[in-house]
């Protein structure tokens, strides 16, 4: 099988020829810039550069030779942008490593060593503490109440760090002819690579409520002011569907997977009851999935952290083909139960290695044994793409990363 065939077979619940593998096809299936630099140094690799393509999460864009080395089968269309050296500027990571930021990203270093990211008008929207490896949101436009209408919603969304400091290709969304350029570059990727192509679209619903109102307040809104929540969600859907229509027209016949996002779970269960999800979010998720399935050949992929077992039947009914990152350390998210109960209905893209304890703290042998056990559970009958539980974080020893991919190869993988 080609990489693309392997990924699609897995999503369609057909047994692939080997373990399908992802590293960095989404900003929730990648590797921190610090861990990436450590990995390259461990491998004795001096070519290339550590490019921080997702500045909020400080994630590196894996280079082609790393993808080849670890048998990675999927890539993000965004990697077709910012290829020129002029698109990048040098920076220093929290541990002192040299790296590169996008040329447009200029956070201000503070006297205490922390960093603040600002809009052009001076508004501070994000903060990273001294020694930190992630920017936190500091601006919540609807913190003190919903506006009388949502005429300003697009502008305020653009001042949230996840939109203002967005990763490629969306950092070029304002460029003239962007949608034509997106199509041209996606077609080029498809011609030059047999890897499955991912387009990250977002279209978050619950999360945009938390970005605009703040998490604690929006959670109360779900119960206390559901009508206002629905009005906000309708305004979001109007904007999401407009963007989705353009993305599907541009790359719906080129990309293989479209990635949505909405973190719906905590460690102990969903943020909301299944009844609340069914009332507020499921109908809108279904509209998004139905649009993709009607107008393109792309598979629908949802990133949702946490314990979401109670919501999985509804997410499947809404039309999601793939779920990520499969946070198996959360309540009810044990690998065996997920595979037994939902393995025929949804593809698990993740859950292949625990990033909470095993990958950062285990020995290489413990990592190998853990990965092989996960593969034994998830691989039969397809429905699985190997990925860690979310991103590989800075403290992960590079030898453990190598051991993880060696385990895949020894199992019958890349």
């Amino acid at each position: 099988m080609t990489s693309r065939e392997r990924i699609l077979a897995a999503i369609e619940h057909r047994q692939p020829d080997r373990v399908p593998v992802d590293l960095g096809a989404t900003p929730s299936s990648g590797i921190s810039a610090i861990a990436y630099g450590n990995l390259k140094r461990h491998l004795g690799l001096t070519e290339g550069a550590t490019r921080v393509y997702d500045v909020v999460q400080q994630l590196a864009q894996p280079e082609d030779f790393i993808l080849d080395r670890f048998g990675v089968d999927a890539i993000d269309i965004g990697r077709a942008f910012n290829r020129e050296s002029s698109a990048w500027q040098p920076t220093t990571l929290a541990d002192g490593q040299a790296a590169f930021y996008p040329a447009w990203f200029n956070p201000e270093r503070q006297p205490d060593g922390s960093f603040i990211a600002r809009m052009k008008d001076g508004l501070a929207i994000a903060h990273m503490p001294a020694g930190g490896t992630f920017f936190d949101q500091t601006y919540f436009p609807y913190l003190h109440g919903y506006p009388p209408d949502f005429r300003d919603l697009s502008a305020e969304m653009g001042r949230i760090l996840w939109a203002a400091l967005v990763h490629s290709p969306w950092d070029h969304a304002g460029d003239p002819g962007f949608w034509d350029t997106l199509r041209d570059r996606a077609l080029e990727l498809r011609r030059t690579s047999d890897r499955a192509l991912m387009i990250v679209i977002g279209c978050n619903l619950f999360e945009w409520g938390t970005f605009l109102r703040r998490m604690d307040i929006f959670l109360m809104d779900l119960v206390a002011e559901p009508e206002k929540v629905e009005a906000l969600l309708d305004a979001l859907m109007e904007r999401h569907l407009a963007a989705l229509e353009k993305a599907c027209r541009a790359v719906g016949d080129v990309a293989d997977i479209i990635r949505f996002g909405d973190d719906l779970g905590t460690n102990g269960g969903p943020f909301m009851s299944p009844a609340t999800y069914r009332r507020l979010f499921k109908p809108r998720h279904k509209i998004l999935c139905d649009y993709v399935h009607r107008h393109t050949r792309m598979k629908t992929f949802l990133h949702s952290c946490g314990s979401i077992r109670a919501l999985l039947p509804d997410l499947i009914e809404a039309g999601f083909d793939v779920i990520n990152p499969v946070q198996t350390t959360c309540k009810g998210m044990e690998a065996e139960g997920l595979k037994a109960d939902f393995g025929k209905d949804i593809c698990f893209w993740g859950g292949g290695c625990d990033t909470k304890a095993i990958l950062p703290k285990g020995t290489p042998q413990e990592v190998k044994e853990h990965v092989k056990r996960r593969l034994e559970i998830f691989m039969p009958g397809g429905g699985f793409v190997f990925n860690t539980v979310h991103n590989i974080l800075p403290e992960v020893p590079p030898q453990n990363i190598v051991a993880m991919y060696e385990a895949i190869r020894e199992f019958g993988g890349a």
Side-chain angles (χ1 to χ4, degrees), residues 7 21-31 53 59-62 67 72-79 167-170 195-201 257-259 301 324 349 385-387 391 405:
I7 291 284
V21 176
D22 174 32
L23 174 65
T26 84
S28 49
S29 66
I31 183 169
Y53 89 104
L59 300 180
Q61 180 174 279
L67 301 182
V72 175
D73 294 300
I75 51 176
D76 177 10
I77 286 176
R79 70 189 294 112
H167 55 78
S168 57
W170 305 110
R195 293 186 171 99
L197 301 185
M198 181 90 73
I199 180 71
V200 175
I201 190 67
I257 309 125
I258 186 164
R259 185 265 200 192
F301 174 120
N324 160 273
W349 190 302
V385 175
F386 182 89
N387 189 215
N391 298 318
Y405 289 106

Side-chain angles (χ1 to χ4, degrees), residues 169-191:
W170 305 110
D171 55 345
H172 290 274
D175 293 355
F178 167 73
W179 295 104
D180 291 335
T181 302
L182 179 66
R183 178 171 181 81
D184 290 344
R185 297 199 178 183
L187 285 167
E188 181 185 357
L189 274 184
R190 196 169 180 92
R191 285 193 300 268

Side-chain angles (χ1 to χ4, degrees), residues 50 86 94 114 118 156 159 165 205 272 320 412:
T50 298
S86 60
S114 65
R118 299 182 186 275
E156 291 296 0
R159 293 153 76 87
L165 310 179
L205 293 168
M272 68 202 76
F320 291 110

Side-chain angles (χ1 to χ4, degrees), residues 19 335-336 351-354 358-359 363-380 384 386-387 400 402-413:
V19 181
E336 295 88 347
C353 187
D354 167 32
I358 301 295
L359 195 60
T363 66
Q365 186 58 36
E366 288 170 338
V367 170
K368 279 192 175 186
E369 292 170 358
H370 169 76
V371 167
K372 290 178 182 179
R373 285 196 300 271
R374 288 293 172 86
L375 294 176
E376 289 169 355
I377 295 166
F378 279 124
M379 271 299 290
F384 176 66
F386 182 89
N387 189 215
N400 283 6
V402 173
M404 179 174 68
Y405 289 106
E406 286 178 348
I408 298 171
R409 186 173 293 109
E410 292 168 8
F411 182 86

Side-chain angles (χ1 to χ4, degrees), residues 47 49 55 64 139 214 227 314 333:
E47 60 187 297
V55 298
D64 287 343
Y139 175 64
R214 205 172 68 189
E227 295 81 10
D314 291 297
M333 296 291 288

